[in-house]
DNA sequence: GGCCGCATTGTGACCGGTAACAATCCTGGC
DNA sequence: GCCAGGATTGTTACCGGTCACAATGCGGCC
């Protein structure tokens, strides 16, 4: 029972040591479960710890040992479903390993911002997890101090400089390939693609998979529609696509985009999936409940976050610079928004 | 230009001091912008800092000064729109103030989990922001060590023990009152309410506002439907409500719930808003684009997060235990999902 | 009984900063 | 030319832990 009443300094290991009649080092040994402490002593120390309400200062621990039980996630956005889920996965895994997790958002991709963010993050942290699905993230991955352990959550694995780090990924290329194949197999002559902003200079994995599927099927490859992340971007894209009667199937870079596209088609008087089929990406929770419910590709983002952490954890613990990579398998979820074209 | 090549220890202020030919304390003065440093010296030191690529260790700073430029957000979930937006707001404000932000999620509301989380968080941090919209958050707010500065993001302000902390809030009661009033003014005889899990033992602010509006209008107060957070919960609630022909208007605790409710009504053959009007809460980005688009209450969550941080920041800087409170004004956004009842 | 060796425990330095106070440098006033 | 006193700068301790190594205790063996 601690009934001190008013604010006072947290007790340190020396306070505990005095209370238990041992040296501070013995206390240190006890809190670290060092084997060579007589159990009687250990018990005495533990009692003192209990009574004083001692808690080891994470700050001092970090300073003295160099080890820093914390990771921070660098990301462009915390509100989009995919990003938020990765973050959730990281946090979950980190919590289990008794790591603290920090978060730092990249407001833009310009070098100034990115390097400032990377520096601030690297300053106080054991390791970094960079969500590099977008330009800002990719820039951050490249800008990260080579001395701090970094794991990238990337779209396209690559051995080249910006990605010369351990990474985790989902096979977006294959996912896009399958989603496109699904639409083609329903009888659509071609599939349009509304892309999310890409992180790489080359075509993104999703774009590549979509294109490959069209080519393999001998279908025409329409021009990619480049848009932003949110439903309003999808709406803008959908408004344009709605004017083209040749458009019968649209694949979207994420579910919000798809919802915007569906809305625009709806307002233009084109029914989904009657006139146009729409397929999303990510399987956000609400995607199953909108009308028409959205055919989409489910990606295990929180699993991705967990493995990103595990990978980083291993890196920090063993300091072995192995490049272990992990991939999750995407899954196509067919719902109401995709169907055979009306006039095959 | 630093072309060292391989990993080496970050330079400390003593390294800088040696390089600049001054004492380490002078370096400390320079990096802290202490006025009494001759400008020639200051310049010399700055040059050394530049050359060595010195960066001040946040860890050492925290340990030595006691001040800890970091806050952590305790929350039940990072993926729901409201929570994610609050987090985003906190991060933004924190970044501007050069604070680090941590995040720790409360997996359940049981005392074990909560106190562990609170302890871990309080361990290494300057201040805490607790999102206390749900039972877990409320418990955390109550369990937080009285010594660490805490700001609550709460639903219902209260002077009572669990909330005896500075807080920020949105006027959810008024928002619910207005949303309910909107439906009544359209001609609905009563309004059903699908609630999110409440944080307080008493009725939540949203519930209270809804009830008040009904009573003020002399309308019947149906039993509250208690559900979870996600669209599938809304779907479950909607399925039940669809069987009751008296139900013509439904207010939901958040937009995902509302989307689930709309879906269930749709599947039951009841049209929205023809047969039943549905109103959500929070104005998630996609809510404007689903069909029918959702009437909802817009809440400035990121603004809420920003003021939570600002409040905490003030607390940390001045250590004045003032209870400053901030409120944001909710705004009703009328869209397609609400309309006059078919048979008035 | 004396000595050796392992099990325990203690000592002092150090991590990279800040805080408080002492020391030295200048400058103006007489 | 000398001295007081503010402007600069240096010295030493300390934050709360860990680390490396020294010191002590104890049991077994000859």
């Amino acid at each position: 029972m601690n009934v001190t009443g008013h604010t006072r300094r947290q007790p340190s290991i020396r306070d505990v040591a005095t209370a238990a009649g041992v040296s501070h080092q013995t206390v240190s040994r006890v809190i670290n479960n060092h084997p060579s402490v007589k159990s009687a002593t250990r018990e005495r120390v533990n009692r003192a710890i209990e009574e004083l309400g001692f808690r080891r200062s994470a700050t001092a621990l970090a300073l003295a040992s160099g080890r820093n039980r914390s990771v921070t996630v660098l990301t462009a956005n915390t509100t989009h479903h995919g990003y938020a889920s990765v973050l959730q996965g990281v946090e979950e895994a980190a919590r289990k390993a008794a790591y603290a997790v920090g978060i730092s958002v990249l407001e833009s991709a310009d070098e100034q911002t990115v390097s400032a963010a990377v520096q601030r993050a690297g300053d106080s942290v054991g390791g970094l997890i960079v969500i590099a699905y977008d330009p800002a993230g990719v820039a951050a991955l490249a800008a990260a101090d080579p001395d701090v352990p970094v794991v990238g959550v990337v779209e396209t694995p690559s051995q080249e400089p910006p990605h010369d780090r351990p990474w985790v990924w989902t096979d977006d290329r294959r996912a896009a390939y399958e989603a496109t194949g699904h639409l083609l197999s329903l009888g659509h002559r071609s599939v349009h693609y509304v892309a999310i902003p890409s992180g790489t200079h080359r075509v993104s994995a999703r774009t590549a998979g979509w294109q490959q599927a069209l080519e393999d099927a001998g279908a025409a490859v329409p021009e990619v529609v480049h848009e932003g992340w949110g439903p309003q971007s999808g709406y803008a894209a959908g408004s344009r696509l709605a004017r083209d009667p040749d458009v019968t199937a649209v694949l979207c870079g994420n579910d919000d985009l798809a919802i915007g596209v569906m809305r625009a088609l709806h307002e233009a008087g084109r029914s989904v999936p009657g006139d146009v089929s729409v397929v999303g990406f990510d399987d956000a929770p609400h995607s199953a409940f909108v009308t028409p419910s959205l055919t989409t590709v489910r990606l295990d983002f929180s699993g991705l976050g967990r493995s990103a952490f595990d990978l980083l954890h291993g890196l920090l613990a063993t300091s072995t610079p192995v490049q272990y990579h992990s991939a999750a398998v995407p899954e196509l979820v067919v719902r109401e928004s995709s169907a055979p074209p009306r006039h095959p």
Side-chain angles (χ1 to χ4, degrees), chain A:
Chain A
M1 284 307 129
N2 180 346
V3 219
T4 53
H6 38 291
T7 305
R8 79 138 134 287
R9 210 176 88 273
Q10 287 285 334
S12 75
I13 54 170
R14 288 165 229 256
D15 299 325
V16 174
T18 307
V22 297
S23 77
H24 64 108
Q25 178 59 7
T26 298
V27 176
S28 172
R29 291 197 181 96
V30 169
I31 60 185
N32 287 299
N33 288 315
H34 189 98
S36 72
V37 175
K38 217 168 22 174
S39 64
T41 313
R42 180 183 303 276
E43 200 163 317
R44 206 144 34 90
V45 171
N46 276 327
R47 195 156 35 236
I49 287 178
E50 186 74 21
E51 269 164 19
L52 271 57
F54 166 83
R55 265 182 289 147
R56 170 226 251 124
S57 154
T59 307
L61 170 61
L63 180 59
S65 68
R67 288 183 275 296
N68 191 330
R69 296 187 77 81
S70 77
V71 300
T72 106
V73 178
L74 273 171
T75 173
N77 195 302
T78 58
T79 56
H80 281 116
H81 175 252
Y83 289 42
S85 299
V86 170
L87 177 60
Q88 186 203 46
V90 170
E91 196 280 340
E92 187 186 325
R95 181 153 33 85
K96 289 206 173 108
Y99 268 59
V101 2
I103 171 177
S104 175
V105 349
L106 302 158
E107 212 155 45
S108 79
D110 75 286
E111 205 191 333
Q112 194 78 349
T113 313
V114 167
S115 81
V118 167
Q119 295 224 349
R120 249 184 326 109
D123 249 20
S124 55
V125 113
L128 247 42
I129 291 175
V130 179
I131 304 187
Y133 275 118
D134 49 71
V138 171
L141 200 50
D145 188 324
D147 289 353
V148 310
V150 176
V151 168
V153 178
V154 303
E155 175 192 44
T156 320
S158 143
Q159 304 289 353
E160 296 164 47
H163 291 176
D164 185 16
R165 300 283 199 173
W167 69 70
V168 296
W169 66 307
T170 51
D171 195 345
D172 283 21
R173 184 190 167 100
R174 174 172 147 195
Y177 188 94
E178 285 179 8
T180 308
H182 160 68
L183 288 166
L184 291 173
S185 74
L186 286 171
H188 294 276
R189 282 218 234 281
S190 186
V191 176
H192 286 251
Y193 181 55
V194 179
I196 50 179
S198 166
T200 55
H201 296 298
R202 301 171 296 286
V203 287
S204 75
R206 292 185 185 182
T207 307
W210 159 76
Q211 185 170 340
Q212 185 72 51
L214 290 178
E215 287 170 358
D216 286 0
V221 180
E223 204 172 335
V224 175
V225 183
H226 285 285
E227 280 297 340
W229 293 92
Q232 67 288 351
S233 299
Y235 183 82
S239 303
R240 290 201 300 283
L241 291 172
R243 288 197 287 273
D244 181 350
D246 288 347
V247 175
T248 68
V250 181
L251 177 66
C252 300
N254 72 36
D255 282 0
D256 271 356
L257 237 29
I259 286 173
V261 166
M262 291 201 297
R263 178 69 191 188
L265 292 169
H266 169 75
E267 290 186 7
R270 307 199 66 187
S271 84
V272 177
D275 298 316
V276 182
S277 286
V278 176
V279 172
F281 231 103
D282 294 359
D283 195 25
H286 53 263
S287 297
F289 296 90
V290 296
T291 301
S293 59
L294 189 62
T295 293
T296 187
V297 179
R298 179 174 299 155
L299 296 174
D300 181 14
F301 286 115
S302 57
L304 202 61
R306 283 193 296 273
S307 24
F309 175 80
D310 290 342
L311 184 47
L312 183 55
H313 188 25
L315 230 58
L316 290 172
T318 70
S319 80
T320 316
V322 279
Q323 292 208 348
Y324 164 75
H325 313 130
S326 143
V329 191
E331 176 194 355
L332 182 69
V333 183
V334 179
R335 300 207 185 95
E336 296 167 354
S337 68
S338 59
R342 186 161 285 169
H343 313 291

